[in-house]
Amino acid sequence: MLLAVDIGNTNIVVALFHKDELVHEWRMYSDSKRTADEYSSILSSLMRDAGVTPSAISSAILSSVVPLLIGPFITVIERMTGSKPVIVGPAMYDKLPITLPESAVHEIGTDLVSNAVEAWCANKCPCIVVDFGTALTFTSINAAGDLLGVAICPGLRTAVNALFNNTAQLPSVPLEAPPDSIGTNTIHSIQAGIVLGYKGLVESLIAQTKSDMAKKSGCREEEIKVIATGGLNSVLKPITNVFQTVDKQLTLKGLNRIASFMGCKD
């Protein structure tokens, strides 16, 4: 099996693939203060509870947007598998089926590269990947597999936390749509501003991105497929129709696909 590790700013997602089937998935908090020993203990316990033995793992791939956690997880994976993982990064981008702008090669998050690889390989058409994470990102890929660029803004939970942490009387609220945009209590007022506000942000930015992609790459706007991923996409999914596809496991699938290009799949 392939062990895929996606380290984000809020969560670490670990998955096991047998060929192209995702057979196990676990989540834990990202904490750069934890040691390799601690993460080894957590992951070993999760695998043991699922009936998975390390000997079943033949290869591993690691993506991280938290530099301080790369070293500990290389150690975790080496202990578990006896070999180093493939690390997603600039050194291997020339082996991928997509191309990146030269100015972005050393800056773009490896999770966004994984998203772009899976979106383009699975659809072979112009795509916008909207990833609802700690940051809300919009990654554009044209029909030829060129990653054109990315738009980044604070994620939904990040926005709520900023409001809660920087005001004296506003509480942290559940991320769900209010009855309407005219809040009659504090919770509904914040939900109207954040959830409905982000609905407008997402719809507006997708429309603008489609227009810009059409100008830059010559595609028709109606050809562009919009794919949502990330844990918080479910907040907006019920109140907008701008997503053709929702795939919470897009990043993991991208890592599995990248592993195949690097020759490390089982």
Side-chain angles (χ1 to χ4, degrees):
M1 288 190 289
L2 172 75
L3 176 69
V5 180
D6 174 33
I7 302 175
N9 289 295
T10 302
N11 291 305
I12 299 166
V13 186
V14 180
L16 284 176
F17 284 87
H18 176 59
K19 300 189 184 300
D20 291 326
E21 181 185 0
L22 197 161
V23 292
H24 292 287
E25 181 181 345
W26 303 280
R27 289 177 179 268
M28 59 190 90
Y29 285 117
S30 298
D31 185 351
S32 57
K33 295 179 182 177
R34 276 184 173 158
T35 65
D37 291 338
E38 290 174 298
Y39 277 117
S40 290
S41 178
I42 294 168
L43 189 52
S44 294
S45 177
L46 291 170
M47 288 187 172
R48 185 169 56 250
D49 290 345
V52 176
T53 58
S55 61
I57 301 170
S58 57
S59 56
I61 185 166
L62 171 65
S63 164
S64 177
V65 296
V66 184
L68 287 175
L69 285 176
I70 295 175
F73 264 87
I74 290 175
T75 300
V76 170
I77 292 168
E78 285 181 327
R79 287 175 180 173
M80 190 165 291
T81 67
S83 59
K84 288 186 177 181
V86 168
I87 300 174
V88 181
M92 46 96 89
Y93 288 164
D94 61 345
K95 296 181 175 65
L96 301 182
I98 65 168
T99 58
L100 280 70
E102 187 175 343
S103 60
V105 165
H106 294 281
E107 296 182 0
I108 190 168
T110 54
D111 54 341
L112 303 188
V113 174
S114 301
N115 286 344
V117 168
E118 180 61 22
W120 187 78
C121 287
N123 296 283
K124 296 294 175 65
C125 71
C127 299
I128 301 170
V129 180
V130 186
D131 193 335
F132 290 82
T134 306
L136 173 59
T137 59
F138 300 74
T139 304
S140 304
I141 311 102
N142 69 14
D146 302 315
L147 196 160
L148 301 176
V150 182
I152 305 173
C153 62
L156 281 154
R157 177 60 64 190
T158 303
V160 168
N161 288 343
L163 197 61
F164 171 64
N165 290 327
N166 290 285
T167 57
Q169 292 185 305
L170 296 182
S172 182
V173 302
L175 279 171
E176 55 190 44
D180 55 46
S181 63
I182 306 171
T184 55
N185 58 56
T186 301
I187 291 176
H188 287 168
S189 297
I190 295 173
Q191 289 173 335
I194 298 293
V195 178
L196 299 185
Y198 266 72
K199 174 180 181 289
L201 182 156
V202 168
E203 292 175 345
S204 175
L205 196 48
I206 286 173
Q208 182 66 54
T209 303
K210 283 184 174 182
S211 175
D212 291 338
M213 287 178 68
K215 292 174 185 176
K216 285 190 173 187
S217 62
C219 65
R220 298 195 308 272
E221 291 188 28
E222 57 269 24
E223 295 175 330
I224 301 170
K225 187 169 186 177
V226 183
I227 304 162
T229 190
L232 291 174
N233 77 80
S234 57
V235 177
L236 292 190
K237 183 174 177 286
I239 58 173
T240 185
N241 60 1
V242 293
F243 307 128
Q244 278 78 57
T245 302
V246 175
D247 188 348
K248 286 189 175 183
Q249 297 168 331
L250 187 76
T251 311
L252 295 173
K253 291 176 180 177
L255 290 176
N256 181 58
R257 199 180 287 270
I258 290 172
S260 68
F261 290 114
M262 300 303 295
C264 69
K265 280 183 66 177
D266 62 347

